[in-house]
Amino acid sequence: MAELKFKTNIKCNGCIAKVAPVLDKEKNINKWKVDLNDPERTLVVEGEIKPEEVQKLLGQVGYKAEIK
């Protein structure tokens, strides 16, 4: 299982509530979390998914993810 890290523009729990449905629905993601205390709002994704797919999922709900 791979672990991917992204710098995001997710800013608050409301933002997390918007991305949660798309990330939770993705069967190739086993686990994910966003560190809101990190200035880069790091999203950590565990699973068998390509970085581009995670970026596309976040883009669908209006957020950006930059590979770290």
Side-chain angles (χ1 to χ4, degrees):
M1 176 175 13
E3 181 179 281
L4 304 172
K5 292 184 179 182
F6 301 88
K7 175 182 175 183
T8 71
N9 61 345
I10 295 171
K11 297 179 182 171
C12 63
N13 287 324
C15 299
I16 291 175
K18 289 181 183 175
V19 301
V22 295
L23 295 178
D24 289 343
K25 189 171 67 175
E26 175 53 53
K27 63 182 178 185
N28 292 324
I29 295 176
N30 296 335
K31 185 178 171 184
W32 65 271
K33 66 179 178 181
V34 177
D35 184 354
L36 293 177
N37 294 319
D38 182 344
E40 294 189 335
R41 310 295 195 225
T42 300
L43 166 66
V44 179
V45 175
E46 293 180 12
E48 298 301 326
I49 189 166
K50 295 179 181 176
E52 300 81 16
E53 293 172 313
V54 174
Q55 291 172 314
K56 184 177 176 182
L57 289 171
L58 286 186
Q60 290 173 0
V61 289
Y63 293 94
K64 295 179 182 175
E66 183 179 311
I67 300 169
K68 290 179 79 173

